[in-house]
Amino acid sequence: MGGSGLRKLILACALVAPALHGVAAEGQSASAAQPGKTLAQRIGHTDPAKFRHSEAVHDGAGSMEFGQIFGADALSSNLLFVHRGVIAPKSGIGEHFHNNCEEMFVILDGEAQFTIDGRTALLKGPAAVPDRMGHAHGIYNASDKPVQWVNINVGLTKSYDAFNLGDPRTGVALDPIPQFISARFDPALLRPVAAMDGGTGTALYRRALEPSVFATPWSYVDHLRIPAGASVGARAIPGMSEVYLVLSGDGEAVIGGETAAVHAGDVIPVEVGQSRSIRTTGAGPLDLMVIGVAKDLASKATYMAAMAARPRAAR
């Protein structure tokens, strides 16, 4: 391996090492995974001042600024990390494989060229593209404006892997219709749910990505909007942990009996077996992306069977 290749390998290891720090054993409660921390302390916050500058990420073009919101110690399930950052103009993440984990790139604004298995298409944000285990992905911001970016990773275990292809995916042909799975977080796609989980008012909800999309214990991606003055009630899903990314708005979350304020850019962990309820406290709606990660593949299968048995209108 030449000096340039060694430097890139060291950079790749540096990017993922923080996400694997403090691994928790499966089945631990949130307090056991993060001893002595209150809910307010376990909630992650987006702080651009703490982002680090990285170039040629996975052999990609240009540079980006990003930081870790959650690492592998956030939950006992196999969530490996949640990253938040900014992809600079004419920059991106080179195409690379994951063979033991799955990743999803999300853009919150602007537009970006997403690649899955060598096929590339332009998507406008807010949008997400999952990369299934054993497939390759990348992203490139061809525009003249920075793009707000989120990355979520879930594994078969608490181990991260990547294999770079050395392809920045610049100047490639674009498919007019994406030849891969994607999701848009468009409020117009949401449907009303009155008194959701016993809450107040009418929430707006949509399952953006189903369990069958993912091969790991990753179980779903939801879009949830809680209007001003409304709430969703307490509920826990057996064998399931969740992560709530606050896309916009202000609110209050009650997780496992603890209460904390939440704001745009926050990331809320819900441990396996914990209940959650959320209400809006601001003048506008509270907009959330919800990531469900089962305790294991057996728990995911049980969840899928329970969902299949429900009436279609209730799913």
Side-chain angles (χ1 to χ4, degrees), residues 111-132:
E111 61 183 33
Q113 297 176 8
F114 289 82
T115 293
I116 296 290
D117 292 335
R119 302 292 294 268
T120 302
L122 180 68
L123 296 181
K124 295 184 181 297
V129 175
D131 179 46
R132 285 173 56 92

Side-chain angles (χ1 to χ4, degrees), residues 29-45 70 73-74 253-262 267-270 274:
S29 67
S31 58
Q34 297 183 318
K37 289 189 176 182
T38 65
L39 173 62
Q41 292 170 327
R42 296 195 303 271
I43 291 173
H45 308 287
F70 278 170
D73 61 345
V254 180
I255 310 297
E258 289 187 84
T259 303
V262 295
V267 184
I268 310 161
V270 180
Q274 283 189 322

Side-chain angles (χ1 to χ4, degrees), residues 18 65 91 117 150 187 215 224 254 285 308:
E65 311 283 332
S91 299
D117 292 335
V150 177
L224 173 63
V254 180

Side-chain angles (χ1 to χ4, degrees), residues 195-200 231-237 242 244 253-257 270 274-279:
M196 186 172 183
D197 297 325
T200 60
S231 69
V232 294
R235 71 104 170 90
I237 302 175
E242 291 186 309
Y244 286 74
V254 180
I255 310 297
V270 180
Q274 283 189 322
S275 66
R276 68 91 181 101
S277 61
I278 306 174
R279 70 182 184 95

Side-chain angles (χ1 to χ4, degrees), residues 20-312:
L20 303 179
H21 176 70
V23 170
E26 184 174 326
Q28 291 178 326
S29 67
S31 58
Q34 297 183 318
K37 289 189 176 182
T38 65
L39 173 62
Q41 292 170 327
R42 296 195 303 271
I43 291 173
H45 308 287
T46 299
D47 185 356
K50 295 182 179 179
F51 290 172
R52 64 177 177 269
H53 180 79
S54 298
E55 298 187 8
V57 178
H58 289 294
D59 297 331
S63 64
M64 62 184 301
E65 311 283 332
F66 77 95
Q68 178 173 282
I69 306 299
F70 278 170
D73 61 345
L75 293 169
S76 63
S77 60
N78 287 331
L79 174 78
L80 292 183
F81 55 76
V82 177
H83 291 164
R84 177 73 185 263
V86 180
I87 303 176
K90 305 298 186 289
S91 299
I93 299 170
E95 190 172 17
H96 59 284
F97 273 91
H98 295 295
N99 293 307
N100 192 56
C101 55
E102 297 180 312
E103 206 161 63
M104 186 173 76
F105 289 160
V106 183
I107 56 169
L108 301 178
D109 60 1
E111 61 183 33
Q113 297 176 8
F114 289 82
T115 293
I116 296 290
D117 292 335
R119 302 292 294 268
T120 302
L122 180 68
L123 296 181
K124 295 184 181 297
V129 175
D131 179 46
R132 285 173 56 92
M133 187 170 59
H135 295 263
H137 71 150
I139 188 171
Y140 178 64
N141 174 16
S143 76
D144 295 321
K145 297 180 180 179
V147 171
Q148 296 290 324
W149 167 87
V150 177
N151 183 21
I152 301 107
N153 190 293
V154 175
L156 278 178
T157 66
K158 288 283 191 181
S159 298
Y160 174 90
D161 75 283
F163 183 89
N164 293 350
L165 296 181
D167 186 352
R169 302 302 296 169
T170 58
V172 299
L174 302 180
D175 291 318
I177 298 174
Q179 300 300 297
F180 45 73
I181 296 170
S182 63
R184 278 192 50 78
F185 298 93
D186 183 351
L189 300 175
L190 299 172
R191 63 178 179 85
V193 182
M196 186 172 183
D197 297 325
T200 60
T202 299
L204 299 170
Y205 168 81
R206 173 178 174 249
R207 173 138 295 174
L209 296 172
E210 298 284 347
S212 58
V213 169
F214 305 98
T216 63
W218 197 333
S219 298
Y220 52 82
V221 177
D222 292 347
H223 184 194
L224 173 63
R225 173 169 287 197
I226 308 173
S231 69
V232 294
R235 71 104 170 90
I237 302 175
M240 191 71 64
S241 68
E242 291 186 309
V243 174
Y244 286 74
L245 291 83
V246 184
L247 302 177
S248 62
D250 301 290
E252 183 180 78
V254 180
I255 310 297
E258 289 187 84
T259 303
V262 295
H263 310 284
D266 287 351
V267 184
I268 310 161
V270 180
E271 185 52 84
V272 174
Q274 283 189 322
S275 66
R276 68 91 181 101
S277 61
I278 306 174
R279 70 182 184 95
T280 301
T281 59
L286 184 65
D287 212 28
L288 302 151
M289 181 193 308
V290 188
I291 307 298
V293 183
K295 176 183 176 182
D296 49 35
L297 289 174
S299 298
K300 178 179 178 179
T302 299
Y303 172 77
M304 292 175 69
M307 290 298 296
R310 296 174 61 184
R312 181 172 296 276

